[in-house]
Structures are given as C-alpha cells and as structure tokens.
C-alpha cells in the first residue's frame, strides 16, 4: 500500500523529511501545507514563515553537537544523532550554489584569556549565511517539486482531527479536509500556539521544560575578534547551581550581523542573523545572553508574562550606556524603544536580570576594549512549551502513533536538530 504523508509546515524539519523520502524512492504521496510563501515569492520581512521556515531566513549556522539546539540523542542515541546531523549538513551543501563557501569553525581548546570568568563550549559549526540560504531554498524547492511533492502555500492549517486522521485548512474561503496515513507536525515557533491548542484539546501527556530568557547583546565586532578567530559562534557559559540558573551566549552573528525582531503571541522579542555578502558588512557582532532557570512553577506562562511586561508601544526595549539601536540589513531601524535606565528591565525580569548584568560586567574584563560600547535588545526568549511525550523510536505521539512531532514543535531550537528529527521520522516511515 502506498502511504499518504501530510506535513504541516514547510520548515527545516519537514523539508529534510521530504528529501529523505524522495531520495529513497518513496512511492506514496507527500503533501506539505505552509502558511508562508515559496522561496521565489517569500519577501525578506517574512522571517518565520515560508519554505525552510525560520531556518530559511536565519543566519544558517549549522551546529554539530548533541547538546546544542535541542534534544536528539535522548531519542535515538549519540551515534545515530551524529549520523542524522551529517545528512542535514550534506543537504544544505548539496543545494548550495557554491558549497565550497560553507565554512566550518571547529575550536579545539578553551583559550586561557576567558578563564576564570567563563567556560567555552567546543563544537564544530558550519556557517551558510542568510543570503545563500535563499539560493539554497530555491534549488531545494525545485528538487522536491520535481520529486513529486505537492506544496500548498499561503494556507494555514486550522485544526487536526487525530482520531480520524484529517487535517483542516482554509483555502479560497472554504474549509478543506485532507486525510493522511502519517502526519508530520513541524510548525516551528510560528505555530507554537497551535501546538499548545492541540496538546490541550487532546490532553497529550507532556514533559516539563525550563525557562529560557535573556537579551540580545550587540557591539562592534573588534572587541570580540580574539575569540571569534577561535570560534565563530562562540558559546560562553557559566552556572549558578544553587540558584538553578545557568547562562550562555547563544547564536553569535559576526561580520555582517543584524538584529532581527521576532513576533510570538503578538509580542516582540529579538534574535539575530548575519549575511555572507561583503556588501552587507557592518563589522558588528550580536548574540543572545540566555538564562536557563530551573524550578519556576509554570515556566511557559511565566516567560510569556515577563516578555509582555517588556513591551512598550507595541515593541521591545533597547538599552545602551553609549550607543543607538542599529538598522536591519534593509536599512530600516530595528524596532525597539530606547530606555535610558535599566529600571523597567530589572523590574520585569526580577530577580534574574542581575545574572545578565554580571555576565556583561565579566565580558568587560575579558574583552577590555568593550567598556560601555554595547547595547542590549530586550527580551530574547526561547519559549519551551511543554514538550509532548513521544515514542522515542519515531517521535510519534504516545496516544496517536501516526502523528509525529518534529523540530521546534518538539522543543528543538536549531536547524541541524530540527532537520535531523525530520529525517529520523522519514527513516521510520520508509522502514515501515
Ligand atoms: C531570526 C532567526 C535566526 C535563527 N538562526 C539560527 C541559526 O543560525 N542556526 C540554527 O541552528 N537555528 C537558528 N534559528 C532557529 C531555527 O531557525 C529553528 O530552530 C528551525 O527553523 C526550526 O525548524 P522547524 O522545521 O521546526 O520550524 P520552522 O523552520 O520555523 O518552520 C515552521 C513552518 O511551519 C509553518 N506553519 C506554522 N504554523 C502553521 C500552520 N498552522 N499552518 C501551516 N503552516 C504553518 C510556518 O509558516 C513555517 O514555515 C533561528 C531562528 C530565527 C527566528
């Protein structure tokens, strides 16, 4: 029997899943529904939706370590996880117009000058760059269309009936129904509300998650060059075990580095990306300073409340002792309200903002030229909604074995992990 596979979301996870199926001569039908646009029509400002999802318009840093970007080895073991990562990275190179330009940074030892203030996580990362991702997206999309995948664009899935294996979406003002044998749910961050609604509606058992919140830090790159030369996407970290707080620098962008505004639940938060093309060079660096806080009773609700308190006039906040907010790669102002003191930020994030300030103070010691030449966009947040409990062998819901959750919808936080989860599910479908 040939199977009917429906994928909700054309993000990194499902694009890799579909590629695995096509590469292995899958005989069934593959339909992918996405509320965004195909890579030829997707405009720059649609950061979260469309072909390759948030990953397609991101900075394209492909991390290669199982403790970065979400969980994978928990499901399939360390060795299998690395093999799946290889497949995802190979796909990005395969559809790249100039694969030789994908650079790998692979630090092998912690430099002495960051000790004793910080630890540095050591792992390889491939850097693709936002502009090349757009070209990769087009080549990849053409491959899938040629392979027979049907895409339904600019169409939001509004409901899923797990009991009757049906997906509902609105098209030309009519609600339509699509039946599936296997469903892969990969709606990413932009579909986080939808995932939560389904979890509540079907009373899906979940695994609890910690809070991850902080700021997007921005400064001229020259202050950090010494470390960037060792590790492009450096991950400085420190732990306050008794307080249940750990901090890390996260998703570093360099050379042509821009701060990006994300919109989740109607609130603004910040992220960053970097372009490869020299014409975009601004010699800036930006990275998240993210705190993981254990022990908060309702972490998801707590994070939403804090993010909401950090909004002013419909957007987030910017603070700097000396600088002004930057512009986007399109030359527009990054949406943020500048505040002159840290009062509002401290109040909203209490009692935790102290840890971020302490992190910045110690960076000033490690990178002495930094002084007051920095700014922060607030907040940066990773909403780790309770993760649905899945069968570890195929990421299917324990209550619905033909519904697989992948990518950010299953608490991934990165391209490689999300793509690998999609590939893992596709391998299961091929084997069965
Ligand atoms: C600005 C930015 C920069 C980033 N940079 C990096 C980076 O450099 N390296 C890294 O590893 N990670 C990065 N990330 C994170 C990474 O992009 C995500 O972890 C990854 O894309 C998740 O893949 P996914 O397939 O789960 O979801 P996504 O790639 O987000 O795709 C989800 C898709 O689902 C669609 N969708 C959602 N809801 C519905 C619905 N109801 N109906 C139909 N379609 C729907 C959306 O339109 C979207 O296209 C970045 C994220 C952002 C926002």
């Amino acid at each position: 029997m040939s199977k009917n596979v429906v994928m909700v979301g054309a993000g990194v996870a499902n694009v890799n899943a579909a590629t695995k199926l096509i590469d292995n001569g899958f005989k069934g039908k593959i339909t992918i529904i996405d509320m965004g646009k195909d890579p030829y029509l997707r405009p720059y400002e649609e950061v979260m939706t469309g072909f390759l999802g948030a990953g397609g318009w991101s900075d394209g840093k492909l991390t290669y370590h199982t403790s970065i970007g979400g969980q994978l080895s928990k499901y399939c073991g360390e060795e299998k996880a690395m093999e799946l990562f290889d497949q995802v990275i190979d796909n990005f190179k395969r559809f790249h117009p100039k694969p030789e330009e994908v650079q790998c940074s692979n630090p092998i030892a912690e430099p002495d000058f960051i000790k004793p203030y910080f630890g540095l996580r050591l792992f390889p990362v491939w850097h693709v760059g936002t502009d090349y991702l757009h070209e990769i997206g087009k080549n990849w999309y053409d491959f899938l269309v040629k392979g027979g995948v049907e895409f339904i664009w600019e169409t939001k899935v509004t409901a899923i009936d797990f009991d009757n294996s049906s997906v509902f979406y609105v098209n030309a003002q009519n609600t339509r129904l699509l039946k599936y044998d296997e469903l892969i749910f990969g709606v990413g961050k932009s579909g986080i509300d939808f995932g939560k609604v389904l979890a509540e509606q079907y009373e899906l058992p979940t695994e609890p998650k910690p809070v991850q919140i902080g700021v997007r830090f921005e400064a001229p790159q020259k202050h950090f060059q010494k470390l960037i030369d060792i590790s492009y996407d450096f991950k400085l970290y420190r732990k306050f075990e008794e307080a249940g707080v750990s901090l890390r620098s996260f998703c570093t962008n360099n050379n042509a580095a821009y701060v990006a505004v994300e919109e989740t639940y109607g609130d603004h938060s910040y992220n960053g990306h970097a372009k490869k093309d020299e014409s975009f060079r601004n010699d800036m660096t930006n990275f998240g300073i993210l705190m993981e806080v254990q022990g908060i009773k309702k972490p998801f609700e707590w994070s939403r409340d804090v993010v909401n308190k950090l909004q002013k006039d419909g957007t987030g906040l910017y603070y700097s002792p000396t600088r002004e907010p930057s512009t986007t790669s399109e030359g527009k102002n990054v949406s943020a309200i500048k505040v002159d003191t840290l009062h509002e930020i401290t109040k909203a994030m209490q009692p935790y903002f102290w840890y971020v300030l302490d992190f910045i103070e110690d960076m000033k010691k490690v990178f002495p030229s930094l002084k007051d030449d920095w700014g922060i966009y607030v907040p940066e947040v990773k909403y780790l909604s309770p993760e649905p409990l899945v069968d570890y062998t195929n990421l299917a819901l324990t209550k619905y074995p033909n519904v697989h959750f992948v990518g950010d919808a299953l608490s991934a936080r990165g391209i490689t992990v999300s793509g690998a989860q999609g590939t893992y599910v596709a391998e299961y479908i091929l084997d069965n």
Side-chain angles (χ1 to χ4, degrees):
M1 190 192 87
S2 71
K3 279 197 171 180
N4 184 12
V5 177
V6 173
M7 303 186 186
V8 183
V12 176
N14 275 338
V15 165
N16 276 279
T19 306
K20 182 77 195 183
L21 293 175
I22 299 288
D23 279 345
N24 287 275
F26 179 68
K27 294 280 180 283
K29 175 148 182 58
I30 305 168
T31 309
I32 305 184
I33 311 175
D34 197 286
M35 61 187 184
K37 300 189 177 72
D38 77 48
Y40 291 96
L41 296 176
R42 185 176 170 179
Y44 284 106
E45 58 276 15
E46 289 178 13
V47 175
M48 311 286 283
T49 58
F51 189 78
L52 278 177
W57 257 218
S58 75
D59 183 38
K61 284 185 295 294
L62 310 179
T63 52
Y64 192 63
H65 195 286
T66 49
S67 72
I68 309 286
Q71 305 173 52
L72 185 60
S73 51
K74 167 176 127 180
Y75 307 118
C76 63
E78 191 73 18
E79 201 178 317
K80 179 67 189 170
M82 297 313 285
E83 185 219 307
L84 291 165
F85 282 169
D86 284 332
Q87 296 191 41
V88 175
I89 291 165
D90 284 351
N91 278 337
F92 275 90
K93 290 187 185 161
R94 163 182 172 190
F95 297 107
H96 198 302
K98 293 183 189 165
E100 66 283 1
E101 296 215 358
V102 182
Q103 293 159 2
C104 182
S105 145
N106 189 8
I108 46 171
E110 279 187 351
D112 284 336
F113 69 89
I114 65 163
K115 299 173 194 167
Y117 299 103
F118 298 101
L120 181 69
R121 285 237 163 87
L122 302 167
F123 61 93
V125 52
W126 276 264
H127 183 220
V128 179
T130 311
D131 24 14
Y132 276 136
L133 274 172
H134 298 183
E135 296 310 310
I136 290 171
K138 290 174 193 163
N139 294 340
W140 205 335
Y141 177 58
D142 292 345
F143 166 81
L144 291 176
V145 170
K146 217 168 151 204
V149 177
E150 185 188 343
F151 284 90
I152 304 176
W153 292 114
E154 297 183 62
T155 301
K156 188 168 182 170
V157 171
T158 49
I160 303 175
D161 182 345
F162 291 151
D163 294 310
N164 293 299
S165 298
S166 312
V167 162
F168 297 87
Y169 61 94
V170 180
N171 195 314
Q173 263 104 55
N174 293 318
T175 298
R176 294 173 193 257
L177 176 153
L178 194 61
K179 284 272 189 187
Y180 59 82
D181 297 311
E182 301 283 342
L183 178 79
I184 315 187
F185 187 76
V187 294
K189 252 193 189 176
S190 51
I192 201 166
D193 307 10
F194 188 32
K196 199 156 179 278
V197 167
L198 290 173
E200 283 165 9
Q201 182 184 347
Y202 288 97
E203 294 178 359
L204 302 176
T206 56
E207 299 194 31
K209 297 264 117 188
V211 160
Q212 293 204 350
I213 198 161
V215 303
R216 174 99 345 208
F217 183 92
E218 184 186 52
Q221 178 168 331
K222 58 185 180 195
H223 305 307
F224 292 90
Q225 195 59 50
K226 210 166 148 190
L227 186 55
I228 293 165
D229 289 342
I230 297 167
S231 171
Y232 175 90
D233 182 16
F234 56 81
K235 301 245 186 275
L236 298 170
Y237 69 91
R238 54 174 32 174
K239 241 183 177 159
F240 297 87
E241 250 166 67
E242 277 172 24
V245 178
S246 59
L247 288 96
R248 66 188 201 283
S249 64
F250 172 85
C251 178
T252 306
N253 302 293
N254 304 310
N255 304 326
Y258 295 91
V259 172
V261 178
E262 286 182 0
E263 188 170 337
T264 321
Y265 304 119
D267 288 332
H268 281 183
S269 56
Y270 298 94
N271 207 316
H273 66 114
K275 297 224 168 181
K276 274 270 177 178
D277 193 321
E278 273 298 306
S279 64
F280 288 102
R281 181 177 271 275
N282 58 0
D283 293 319
M284 296 295 282
T285 287
N286 69 57
F287 51 85
I289 302 177
L290 270 190
M291 293 182 280
E292 183 162 302
V293 186
Q294 304 287 343
I296 288 181
K297 254 201 182 148
K298 290 190 167 175
F300 185 66
E301 287 75 7
W302 186 89
S303 311
R304 281 194 64 179
D305 182 51
V306 173
V307 169
N308 191 258
K309 283 180 182 149
L310 288 163
Q311 306 292 303
K312 201 171 182 177
D313 300 340
T315 191
L317 306 177
Y318 175 82
Y319 170 80
S320 168
T322 57
R323 301 182 61 86
E324 293 298 319
S326 297
T327 53
T328 65
S329 50
E330 287 72 54
K332 297 183 185 150
N333 290 330
V334 174
S335 171
I337 299 290
K338 190 175 180 201
V339 289
D340 296 329
T341 71
L342 289 167
H343 177 71
E344 285 166 71
I345 302 170
T346 311
K347 197 168 152 210
M349 276 200 206
Q350 65 180 347
Y352 299 106
F353 190 62
W354 173 88
Y355 294 101
V356 174
L357 284 181
D358 183 57
F359 196 97
I360 295 173
E361 282 308 311
D362 281 348
M363 285 200 304
K364 284 156 75 173
K365 293 177 192 147
V366 172
F367 307 100
S369 64
L370 178 62
K371 298 193 173 83
D372 282 342
D373 195 15
W374 54 271
I376 46 173
Y377 297 82
V378 196
E380 170 143 353
V381 64
K382 305 293 156 219
Y383 282 117
L384 303 182
S385 53
E387 179 185 324
L389 194 61
V390 290
D391 175 344
Y392 286 8
T393 62
N394 58 11
L395 310 188
L397 296 177
T398 47
K399 284 172 82 174
Y400 299 96
N402 64 341
V403 178
H404 311 265
F405 270 51
V406 289
D408 283 8
L410 191 66
S411 304
R413 296 182 302 277
I415 295 171
T416 335
V417 174
S418 298
Q421 288 183 356
T423 309
Y424 186 53
V425 171
E427 286 185 355
Y428 165 82
I429 292 173
L430 287 163
D431 286 349
N432 290 272

